[in-house]
């Protein structure tokens, strides 16, 4: 047999075998030297044993069965190799949906950007219960870790806004440690799917049909009655025809406004869980509203007073939606508080908040009506509201826009002294405001 083994055991060269057995040879050589030095063993037998040991080291691994376990035992004292890159964690980070990687104890080992945006408290190294406080989801995680079966849980959140989510818990399995090679969960992949748009579309359809059928019934009945009258008794009555056509046009405009408001409210509710990200100068937005509604104020004999702040007040929001909020509030003040002859708009900064207040000096609102003002189609005086062209949805739209901006709507009213409607929003830091001022300059 040659040095280069041929046949089924041709696995290593002679140099590789000696290198692999270097620790055994070193230990054996030291032992023989100690034995000769202590006169336990003569030099002749010691050389013979050393030769046998060297010959054994030259044999292939397949024929020297005890070399591998001894080498494995000695390898424990070596420096452990660097761990390979965690490809599973990298895959979780790259997923398009919010996802967490958990170990068998429920500790977060990886989290992607979407998960950090959806679960503000998530941190790698913390238990998943710190970020997910839904009992059904935590129970599903424990069950999936125990039996290795996937779970799916649908749940809802009410804070900071209504939101519907689905959690999928998928065990990542590997061979078990036992002799039976049973599969057990080495890790858990927890992913979240936002079901809010689908649920809101479903609710929007139901609400739109219910609201439209309720509110459109009266103007449609009026139009049908006038049409029958014009086709019958008033067919040749020019005076009655002119009067009825005027009323029919007003009813048609009312239905158009109602449908527009219903659609606007549905669109706002559809995106209520998504906070706007743009920067808005509140002073500029309120100034735009004042200029737009100045002709309506002049027509009703009401002065709109607003003084621009010296330093811009910036918030995170949607400019068009915020303009819609202030338009609705100022328009309501002009319509229902016109007897006071004055509407005041103030913009101020209180600590970390921006506060916009619209005050009128009209008749005010009775205390029992204030809590229900933002309900859909709620009116303090139904006849007067319809005379003013109101649809009963203006304050509901205001409430939903403010909620989408994570703000607060305040209503204060004293009968006989007027009403104040305020909108409080989180202001951007003063440093950001200074930088924007420099940019505008």
């Amino acid at each position: 047999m040659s040095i280069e083994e041929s046949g089924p055991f041709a696995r290593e060269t002679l140099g590789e075998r000696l290198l692999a057995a270097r620790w055994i040879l070193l230990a054996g050589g030291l032992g023989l030297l100690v034995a000769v030095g202590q006169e336990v063993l003569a030099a002749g037998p010691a050389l013979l044993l050393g030769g046998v040991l060297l010959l054994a080291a030259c044999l292939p691994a397949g024929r020297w069965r005890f070399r591998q376990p001894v080498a494995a035992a000695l390898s424990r004292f070596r420096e452990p190799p660097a761990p390979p890159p965690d490809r599973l964690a990298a895959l979780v980070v790259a997923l398009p949906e919010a996802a967490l990687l958990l170990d068998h104890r429920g500790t977060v080992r990886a989290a992607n950007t979407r998960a950090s945006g959806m679960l503000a408290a998530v941190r790698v190294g913390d238990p998943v219960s710190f970020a997910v406080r839904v009992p059904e989801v935590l129970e599903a995680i424990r069950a999936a870790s125990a039996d290795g079966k996937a779970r799916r849980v649908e749940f809802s959140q009410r804070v900071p806004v209504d939101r519907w989510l689905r959690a999928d818990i998928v065990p990542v399995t590997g061979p078990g440690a036992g002799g039976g090679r049973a599969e057990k969960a080495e890790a858990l992949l927890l992913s979240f799917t936002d079901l809010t748009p689908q649920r809101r579309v479903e609710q929007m359809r139901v609400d739109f049909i219910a609201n439209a059928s309720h509110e459109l019934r009266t103007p449609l009945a009026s139009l049908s009655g006038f049409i029958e009258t014009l086709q019958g008794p008033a067919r040749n009555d020019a005076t009655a025809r002119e009067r009825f056509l005027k009323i029919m046009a007003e009813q048609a405009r009312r239905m158009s406004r109602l449908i527009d408001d219903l659609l606007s409210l549905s669109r706002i509710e559809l995106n209520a869980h998504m906070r706007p990200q743009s920067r808005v100068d509140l002073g500029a937005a309120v100034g735009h509203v004042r200029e737009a509604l100045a002709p309506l104020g002049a027509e009703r004999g009401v002065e709109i007073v607003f003084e621009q702040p010296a330093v811009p007040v910036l918030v995170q929001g949607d400019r068009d939606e915020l303009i819609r909020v202030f338009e609705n509030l100022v328009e309501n003040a002009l319509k229902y508080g016109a007897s006071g002859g004055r509407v005041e708009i103030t913009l101020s900064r209180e600590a970390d908040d921006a506060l916009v207040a619209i005050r009128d000096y009209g008749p005010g609102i009775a205390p029992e009506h204030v809590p229900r003002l933002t309900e859909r189609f709620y009116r303090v005086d139904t006849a007067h509201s319809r005379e003013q062209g109101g649809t009963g949805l203006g304050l509901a739209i205001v409430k939903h826009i403010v909620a989408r901006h994570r703000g607060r709507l305040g209503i204060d009213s004293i009968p006989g002294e007027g009403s104040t409607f305020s909108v409080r929003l989180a202001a951007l830091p003063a440093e950001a405001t200074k930088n924007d001022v420099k940019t505008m300059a």
Side-chain angles (χ1 to χ4, degrees):
M1 184 180 65
S2 64
I3 294 178
E4 294 296 332
E5 186 83 33
S6 62
F9 300 109
R11 298 173 184 172
E12 302 171 310
T13 64
L14 178 61
E16 291 173 342
R17 295 170 196 163
L18 292 175
L19 181 63
R22 63 187 183 279
W23 299 108
I24 298 175
L25 293 174
L26 179 61
L30 290 175
L32 291 174
L33 288 175
V34 171
V36 172
Q38 297 292 329
E39 298 182 353
V40 175
L41 192 65
L47 289 175
L48 180 62
L49 289 175
V52 172
L53 185 63
L54 182 62
L55 179 61
C58 295
L59 292 176
R63 294 184 178 179
W64 189 23
R65 299 295 182 184
F66 69 87
R67 194 181 77 182
Q68 289 180 340
V70 173
L74 291 174
S75 66
R76 297 178 184 176
F77 298 97
R78 304 176 191 169
E79 186 71 21
D86 194 340
R87 296 184 178 181
L88 187 57
L91 178 62
V92 170
V93 172
L95 287 175
E97 293 184 345
L100 304 176
L101 181 65
L102 314 177
D103 62 15
H104 66 281
R105 296 173 299 178
T107 303
V108 179
R109 293 306 178 194
N112 61 8
T113 306
R114 292 289 298 275
S116 301
M118 184 176 292
L119 307 169
V122 65
R123 290 178 58 186
V124 175
D126 285 349
V128 68
S129 57
F130 286 9
V132 181
R133 304 180 186 275
V134 182
E136 296 86 354
V137 176
L138 298 177
E139 182 60 33
I141 292 173
R142 285 191 287 267
S145 179
D147 60 19
K149 295 181 180 179
R151 298 289 196 282
R152 172 173 288 183
V153 179
E154 292 188 7
F155 62 98
S156 62
Q157 292 181 336
R158 301 299 179 188
V159 178
V161 294
D162 289 345
R163 190 166 58 173
W164 291 265
L165 301 169
R166 185 183 71 216
D168 290 286
I169 303 100
V170 181
V172 181
T173 57
R181 306 292 287 177
E183 295 289 325
K184 68 175 183 178
E186 294 182 346
L188 293 173
L189 177 62
L190 174 60
S191 62
F192 295 93
T193 303
D194 194 351
L195 303 177
T196 306
Q198 297 93 310
R199 296 295 179 87
R200 289 194 182 278
V201 167
E202 295 171 4
Q203 189 63 39
M204 181 182 68
R205 292 171 182 166
V206 174
D207 291 344
F208 185 84
I209 293 173
N211 294 328
S213 62
H214 177 266
E215 288 296 316
L216 294 177
R217 186 180 294 113
T218 300
L220 283 174
S222 300
L223 288 173
S224 299
F226 288 131
I227 290 171
E228 291 176 1
T229 303
L230 290 174
Q231 290 176 337
R235 178 180 302 174
N236 299 319
D237 189 338
T239 305
R241 182 170 62 248
E242 195 67 28
R243 182 165 59 89
F244 291 160
L245 288 174
K246 182 179 179 181
I247 298 174
M248 290 169 66
E250 291 176 356
Q251 294 294 336
R253 285 193 294 270
R254 179 189 166 199
M255 285 193 295
S256 178
R257 288 194 302 269
L258 182 61
I259 292 172
D260 289 343
D261 283 352
L262 283 172
L263 291 175
S264 296
L265 188 56
S266 298
R267 283 192 294 268
I268 294 166
E269 288 181 330
L270 186 63
N271 298 318
H273 63 292
M274 300 171 58
R275 185 174 182 178
Q277 300 297 319
S278 302
R279 289 187 176 186
V280 181
D281 184 347
L282 281 184
V286 174
H288 172 81
V289 171
R290 179 187 176 280
E291 292 177 3
L293 294 179
L296 179 61
E299 179 184 328
R300 295 173 180 267
V302 179
E303 180 185 8
I304 304 175
V305 180
F306 173 64
E307 184 176 348
Q308 284 276 5
V311 178
V313 179
L314 303 180
V315 298
Q316 180 178 311
D318 184 296
R319 185 175 185 274
D320 292 338
E321 289 188 357
L322 290 176
I323 286 177
R324 181 74 180 273
V325 166
F326 303 133
E327 279 181 345
N328 283 359
L329 294 178
V330 175
E331 192 172 350
N332 282 350
L334 294 175
K335 290 178 179 178
Y336 307 113
S339 59
R342 182 183 177 89
V343 171
E344 294 180 352
I345 308 175
T346 58
L347 170 59
S348 59
R349 182 164 184 154
E350 297 181 357
D352 295 330
D353 294 336
L355 182 66
V356 180
I358 294 96
R359 180 180 181 182
D360 66 68
Y361 293 87
I365 305 168
E368 62 270 19
H369 295 297
V370 172
R372 302 189 60 189
L373 287 177
T374 56
E375 294 180 11
R376 296 186 183 193
F377 305 113
Y378 184 82
R379 299 178 177 93
V380 176
D381 187 341
T382 303
H384 181 60
S385 174
R386 287 178 177 167
E387 286 176 5
Q388 299 293 331
T391 61
L393 293 172
L395 289 179
I397 291 173
V398 168
K399 180 185 74 173
H400 282 82
I401 292 177
V402 173
R404 184 183 179 224
H405 286 72
R406 309 297 187 262
R408 286 177 290 170
L409 174 66
I411 304 175
D412 296 305
S413 184
I414 300 175
E417 297 185 13
S419 306
T420 301
F421 290 78
S422 60
V423 176
R424 185 181 294 271
L425 302 169
L428 292 176
E431 194 63 32
T433 302
K434 292 178 182 177
N435 292 337
D436 279 353
V437 171
K438 293 178 182 178
T439 302
M440 289 186 291

